[in-house]
Amino acid sequence: EGGVVWWRAAAALVVSVAIQVGTNYANDYSDGKRGTDAVRVGPVRLVASGLATPKAVKGAALAAFGVASLAGLALAAAAGWWLAAIGAACLVAGWLYTGGPKPYGYAGFGELFVFVFFGLVATAGSAYVHLVRVTGLALLAGVPVGLLAVALLVVNNLRDIPGDAVAGKKTLAVRIGAPRTRALYVTTIGVAFGCVAAIAVSRPWALVALVAAPLALAPARRVLSGESGRGLVQVLVATGRLQLVFGLVLAVGIAR
């Protein structure tokens, strides 16, 4: 509905990327301070490895959140100041994932927050800055986007089960165990593609998103085969690629 306001689209992209970057730095800082990353099989963390000081990493997180805030305020000025409150909630959620006295990522709620903020809020919010209203289509499109973001976190936490269990980080993967986590990974991807049919009821061209399905086969097969440790890093990369391609193609299909 309507045309794309390109500066708003660019600003929304800046907000989403800057929040993601800031959250990653915040997680690095908080996990490093707590000693959670002392035993790690994934990519090197700055604080835990000593490559950067906690102060520097914290500063990088705040700088990224600052960039997100500036772009977000520009969007709020154009589309409604209540967006500032949504943006603030996103920043708080990014910091408290592993930060604060009771990080929700340590209690098994990471997947829920990722679905809400990287799926529903990000997708419906990006549509809102153009339409200045929330639509059912935008919320529905946010479901598969959020599920694929959840799949990223699920495989990340699957890889880290041994270290997280020792460190007392009770992620959902630690709580339900590796077999159920593997099933959850495949389920989130399967349901994400199933949502395409629902979207296609009002936007038939959304079915073009199914061309991304082959990208899901290899990572799903590796997860179900029992891949663990460093082998899951490649699954993480493949899942990120799947999410990117799916999102881009789905957007094109909806816009037709």
Side-chain angles (χ1 to χ4, degrees), residues 112-137:
L112 174 61
F113 278 75
V114 163
F115 176 75
V116 171
F117 284 99
F118 286 97
L120 302 181
V121 173
T123 306
S126 295
Y128 181 89
V129 298
H130 292 82
L131 303 174
V132 196
R133 61 191 178 88
V134 176
T135 68
L137 177 62

Side-chain angles (χ1 to χ4, degrees), residues 4 28 31 39 49 57-58 73 79 85 87 89 99 106 116 125 128 132 201 214-215 219 226:
V4 175
D28 192 308
D31 281 342
V39 179
S49 66
V57 175
K58 181 179 181 181
L73 287 173
Y106 282 53
V116 171
Y128 181 89
V132 196
V201 171
L215 295 177

Side-chain angles (χ1 to χ4, degrees), residues 1 123 127 134-143 198-200 202-203 206 254:
E1 300 177 25
T123 306
V134 176
T135 68
L137 177 62
L139 289 172
L140 182 58
V143 173
I199 297 172
S202 60
R203 291 291 190 278
I254 290 176

Side-chain angles (χ1 to χ4, degrees), residues 97-198:
Y97 175 61
T98 57
K102 294 183 178 181
Y104 62 85
Y106 282 53
F109 295 108
E111 286 78 3
L112 174 61
F113 278 75
V114 163
F115 176 75
V116 171
F117 284 99
F118 286 97
L120 302 181
V121 173
T123 306
S126 295
Y128 181 89
V129 298
H130 292 82
L131 303 174
V132 196
R133 61 191 178 88
V134 176
T135 68
L137 177 62
L139 289 172
L140 182 58
V143 173
V145 172
L147 287 173
L148 292 181
V150 168
L152 275 169
L153 182 59
V154 168
V155 73
N156 182 80
N157 289 344
L158 173 63
R159 180 200 66 205
D160 293 340
I161 285 178
D164 287 345
V166 171
K169 186 176 181 180
K170 297 181 180 180
T171 63
L172 182 61
V174 170
R175 289 177 179 274
I176 67 176
R180 291 180 179 177
T181 301
R182 296 179 191 280
L184 177 61
Y185 174 80
V186 176
T187 299
T188 56
I189 292 178
V191 175
F193 279 98
C195 289
V196 174

